[in-house]
């Protein structure tokens, strides 16, 4: 597989890298994280101006029709810079649902505004006790005239607090864990009956518990086909998992570079500690983990949109297993090789450790994907 970027992709990578270095250094990020919103509207506007929000969407909506490989470049930069803006939630999850399964009217209404940075989305699916089971949905949608009424609660909704529109999974038929009977709806975050309780995660992203109490939605809120949403949910979550792997690769690269620089400059017994062979071996193992994770990420980004559902599940789980293992290995080694200062708030490596720890658990940890990989039978 050719890992080299073409000229346009290299230009994109260089542009994002310059932006992060100029406008999103560690001190700027600290101020953004501690702000009430937990992200920067100015940064979000700049991301939209650079065209990054429109990268995967069609030109008819103002986008560029880019591939998953193009998005991979963006996600690597997000990982390296530890951006906390709602890019994955809006573009990789919410926007993906609309682009793939929305009606022409829904796409016309949502995607141009998303691309311009005027509308943020979030995927409200996870419920208490569900862990990684995508079929476990208790939130009910019952018929009322031509529309529906939603009652229930969603937990740990990524960037749910800042979203303008929620893509909500609801059960329109069957029992709580039945594969059939799941339906997706587009719900205005400010609709009557919607209440949001926001919180901060270990890695300083924002999540929300969202309660739906008698929330009425009209027929045009239906996203996809009634009762047949599980396949759509699996497809988009796999797509977002591939993008998350790319974010991990960027964060791992930073952890390796920062650790290597520290080994070269920190002196003990009159010499740089990087001159000790045992530490050199550990640094090499970290580099190998990065290269393996990078290789699997390139593979999954190349295949996630172009293969069958069965092969997609197989390759996504294979990638997440390797990336989750690399997240654990590199993040822990980076902290250990930095010593006690590696855990301080003032050092970026500690925040990278937290983000990599969270990425390893998001959309399924290594154990979950090992089981899924075996079950795929590929």
């Amino acid at each position: 597989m050719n890992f080299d970027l073409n000229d346009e992709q290299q230009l994109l990578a260089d542009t994002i890298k310059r932006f992060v270095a100029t406008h999103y250094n560690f001190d700027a990020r600290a101020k953004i994280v501690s702000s009430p919103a937990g992200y920067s509207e100015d940064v979000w506007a700049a991301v939209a101006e650079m065209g990054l929000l429109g990268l995967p969407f069609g030109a008819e909506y103002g986008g560029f029709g880019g591939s998953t490989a193009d998005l991979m470049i963006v996600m690597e930069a997000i990982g390296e810079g530890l951006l906390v803006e709602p890019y994955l939630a809006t573009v990789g999850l919410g926007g993906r649902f609309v682009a793939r399964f929305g009606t022409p009217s829904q796409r016309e209404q949502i995607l141009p505004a998303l691309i311009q940075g005027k509308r943020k989305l979030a995927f409200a699916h996870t419920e208490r006790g569900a862990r990684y089971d995508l079929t476990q949905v208790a939130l009910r949608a019952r018929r009322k005239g031509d529309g529906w009424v939603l009652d229930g609660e969603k937990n740990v909704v990524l960037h749910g607090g800042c979203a303008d529109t929620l893509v909500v999974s609801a059960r329109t038929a069957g029992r709580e864990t039945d594969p059939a009977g799941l339906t997706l709806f587009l719900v205005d975050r400010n609709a009557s009956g919607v209440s949001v309780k926001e919180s901060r995660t270990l890695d300083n992203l924002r999540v929300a518990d969202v309660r739906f109490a008698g929330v009425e939605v009209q027929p045009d809120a239906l996203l996809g086909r009634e009762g047949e949403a599980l396949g759509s949910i699996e497809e988009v979550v796999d797509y977002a998992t591939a993008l998350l792997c790319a974010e991990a690769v960027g964060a791992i690269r930073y952890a390796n570079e920062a650790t290597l620089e520290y080994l070269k400059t920190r002196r003990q017994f009159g010499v740089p500690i990087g001159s000790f062979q045992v530490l050199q071996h550990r640094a090499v193992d970290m580099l190998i983990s990065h290269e393996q994770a990078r290789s699997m990420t390139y593979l999954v980004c190349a295949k996630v949109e172009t293969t069958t559902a069965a092969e997609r599940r197989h390759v996504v789980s294979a990638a997440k297993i390797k990336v989750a293992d690399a997240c654990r290995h590199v993040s822990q080694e980076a902290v250990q090789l930095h010593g006690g200062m590696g855990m301080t708030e003032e050092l970026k490596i500690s925040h990278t450790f937290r983000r990599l720890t969270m990425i390893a658990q998001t959309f399924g940890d290594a154990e979950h994907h090992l089981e899924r990989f075996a079950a795929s039978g590929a």
Side-chain angles (χ1 to χ4, degrees):
M1 181 180 290
N2 183 8
F3 286 179
D4 295 331
L5 303 179
N6 62 37
D7 291 342
E8 290 183 353
Q9 289 172 332
Q10 188 61 59
L11 179 61
L12 174 64
D14 292 342
T15 300
I16 301 170
K17 187 173 183 178
R18 282 196 302 271
F19 172 79
V20 172
T22 305
H23 302 287
Y24 216 94
N25 60 40
F26 184 60
D27 291 336
R29 179 186 182 274
K31 293 178 181 178
I32 292 170
V33 165
S34 62
S35 68
Y39 74 98
S40 168
E41 283 287 358
D42 290 339
V43 171
W44 191 247
V47 168
E49 187 175 349
M50 287 189 289
L52 303 185
L53 298 182
L55 196 57
F57 304 117
E60 63 270 30
Y61 307 111
F64 297 94
S67 66
T68 311
D70 297 324
L71 273 183
M72 178 184 68
I73 296 168
V74 179
M75 293 304 297
E76 284 190 28
I78 287 174
E80 189 169 0
L82 296 181
L83 272 67
V84 295
E85 279 62 38
Y87 190 87
L88 181 65
T90 295
V91 176
L93 286 167
R96 181 69 175 178
F97 274 114
V98 175
R100 288 284 292 122
F101 308 108
T103 64
S105 175
Q106 289 169 335
R107 292 196 293 267
E108 286 285 353
Q109 180 183 7
I110 293 175
L111 294 182
L114 184 162
I115 291 167
Q116 295 167 22
K118 298 178 180 178
R119 181 179 294 213
K120 305 178 191 69
L121 281 77
F123 179 39
H125 179 71
T126 305
E127 297 186 7
R128 197 177 305 276
R131 197 165 169 75
Y132 305 128
D133 185 0
L134 296 178
T135 66
Q136 186 168 328
V137 174
L139 187 147
R140 287 279 173 178
R142 55 182 174 83
R143 280 283 190 178
K144 182 178 180 181
D146 293 335
W148 290 266
V149 177
L150 277 56
D151 285 285
E153 185 174 2
K154 298 294 183 179
N155 303 108
V156 200
V157 177
L158 181 63
H159 294 296
C162 69
D164 302 296
T165 302
L166 301 169
V167 178
V168 182
S169 60
R171 186 162 293 284
T172 50
R175 294 175 298 179
E176 185 173 324
T177 56
D178 286 349
L182 296 181
T183 305
L184 294 172
F185 296 96
L186 293 168
V187 181
D188 189 326
R189 182 203 176 283
N190 295 315
S192 177
V194 176
S195 57
V196 178
K197 182 180 180 181
E198 196 173 37
S199 58
R200 182 182 299 178
T201 57
L202 174 72
D203 53 350
N204 286 319
L205 296 187
R206 297 297 176 94
V207 295
D209 293 338
V210 185
R211 180 157 185 79
F212 301 83
V215 178
E216 297 188 14
V217 294
Q218 299 304 310
D220 60 2
L222 178 66
L223 184 63
R225 302 181 64 175
E226 181 180 352
E228 301 178 13
L230 180 60
S232 305
I233 293 170
E234 290 178 336
E235 177 187 321
V236 173
V237 170
D238 280 347
Y239 178 79
T241 302
L243 299 183
L244 194 69
C245 288
E247 181 183 350
V249 168
I252 289 170
R253 181 172 61 237
Y254 168 77
N256 280 353
E257 291 174 353
T259 302
L260 183 60
E261 182 63 25
Y262 182 76
L263 294 179
K264 291 178 179 179
T265 55
R266 174 72 166 92
R267 299 179 67 86
Q268 188 67 40
F269 307 113
V271 296
I273 61 174
S275 65
F276 303 144
Q277 191 176 52
V278 66
L279 299 189
Q280 293 175 5
H281 290 170
R282 291 171 70 175
V284 169
D285 287 340
M286 291 169 67
L287 176 63
I288 292 171
S289 286
H290 171 256
E291 288 300 321
Q292 290 175 334
R294 179 171 171 259
S295 297
M296 288 303 299
T297 296
Y298 276 50
L299 175 65
V300 71
C301 286
K303 284 184 171 289
V304 71
E305 290 188 281
T306 61
T307 188
T308 65
E311 187 178 356
R312 185 197 72 229
R313 287 192 290 269
H314 192 74
V315 73
V316 167
S317 285
K320 188 65 195 303
I321 292 164
K322 178 54 66 177
V323 168
D325 184 61
C327 286
R328 175 197 56 78
H329 172 230
V330 172
S331 65
Q332 292 180 6
E333 285 283 63
V335 167
Q336 289 175 20
L337 291 175
H338 274 82
M341 65 184 293
M343 291 300 294
T344 60
E345 286 283 339
E346 292 76 17
L347 207 64
K348 185 179 175 181
I349 201 69
S350 69
H351 297 265
T352 303
F353 169 84
R354 297 176 198 176
R355 182 61 189 144
L356 287 172
T357 300
M358 291 294 288
I359 287 175
Q361 309 301 316
T362 304
F363 303 136
D365 58 13
E367 183 178 356
H368 166 78
H369 280 283
L370 277 168
E371 295 174 358
R372 188 175 184 245
F373 182 85
S376 69

